[in-house]
Amino acid sequence: MKGNKDKYGKLFLSAFKLSACTFGGGFVIIPLMRKKFVEELHWIEEQEMLDLTAIAQSSPGAIAVNAAILVGYHAAGIAGAGIAVLGTVLPPLIIISVISFFYTAFRDNVIVNMAMTGMLAGVAAVIFDVVITMGKDILKKKRLLPVFVLLAAFAAVRFFNINIILIILVCGVLGAADTIYQGKKKEGAGI
């Protein structure tokens, strides 16, 4: 039982610290979660983290909360999911509550505005790092379909303004079909 309490405590504190230090939206928390749970704690494998990230991104709701649910559940079951969510939502809740009391002072403060502008550059860099890290993992597989889907999804959003929900659904269908095809291919080869 003590082992579970230690794991729950570590899960809560990890989620709390990550969420407290994450500015710029849910995509920023993904590389931080990867570093913490894959590289440091070794609770999750690299490929599992990619899969959890894909599920978190394609599920309704905030990506940080979705990722916390999935990582927490993977690490410590249903209780772990609840603990990770609590650790993830508390810091923004506390920060937003404090800011709301002093909103006019923050809104008109030149230093706060300058700090927020500086954070935008850092957030862009972290999101760029996520794209490169996840892109490298896709390219390592040396298969054309995932690369084609990646480029087609980017083009659909960037140049053709296609609804993101439609893109996610099409990518999901293509991914499922490819997984089934690869499974049958392995069965046929006797692997």
Side-chain angles (χ1 to χ4, degrees):
M1 186 68 177
K2 184 167 179 0
N4 280 348
K5 285 185 180 180
D6 290 345
K7 192 169 196 174
Y8 293 152
K10 190 175 281 192
L11 182 60
F12 176 81
L13 287 175
S14 296
F16 189 89
K17 288 176 190 175
L18 290 174
S19 184
C21 299
T22 302
F23 293 90
F27 287 106
V28 178
I29 203 168
I30 298 299
L32 300 174
M33 283 182 146
R34 183 184 156 278
K35 183 171 180 60
K36 185 68 172 180
F37 296 113
V38 174
E39 294 177 9
E40 290 177 22
L41 296 174
H42 304 289
W43 288 353
I44 300 174
E45 297 294 322
E46 184 75 34
Q47 184 59 46
E48 290 171 319
M49 188 66 198
L50 283 173
D51 294 342
L52 295 176
T53 300
I55 294 168
Q57 289 173 339
S58 58
S59 300
I63 188 172
V65 175
N66 292 345
I69 291 169
L70 294 168
V71 168
Y73 182 79
H74 187 78
I78 292 174
I83 289 167
V85 168
L86 187 62
T88 301
V89 299
L90 274 179
L93 181 67
I94 293 166
I95 292 168
I96 297 286
S97 297
V98 169
I99 289 174
S100 69
F101 283 115
F102 304 105
Y103 175 70
T104 54
F106 279 122
R107 182 189 62 201
D108 299 332
N109 190 310
V110 174
I111 294 171
V112 170
N113 284 327
M114 288 170 33
M116 292 298 178
T117 302
M119 282 187 211
L120 286 175
V123 167
V126 170
I127 291 173
F128 187 67
D129 179 59
V130 170
V131 170
I132 293 200
T133 301
M134 292 178 75
K136 273 196 297 191
D137 289 333
I138 289 170
L139 294 174
K140 281 180 187 175
K141 294 179 181 178
K142 296 182 181 176
R143 292 186 41 240
L144 291 178
L145 183 64
V147 174
F148 171 75
V149 169
L150 177 118
L151 295 173
F154 173 78
V157 171
R158 180 76 178 127
F159 302 114
F160 301 108
N161 202 24
I162 296 175
N163 187 316
I164 193 71
I165 294 171
L166 180 62
I167 293 169
I168 289 170
L169 290 174
V170 169
C171 290
V173 168
L174 288 173
D178 184 50
T179 301
I180 291 168
Y181 172 75
Q182 293 299 325
K184 288 184 179 184
K185 190 173 158 183
K186 285 181 182 178
E187 282 177 14
I191 296 176

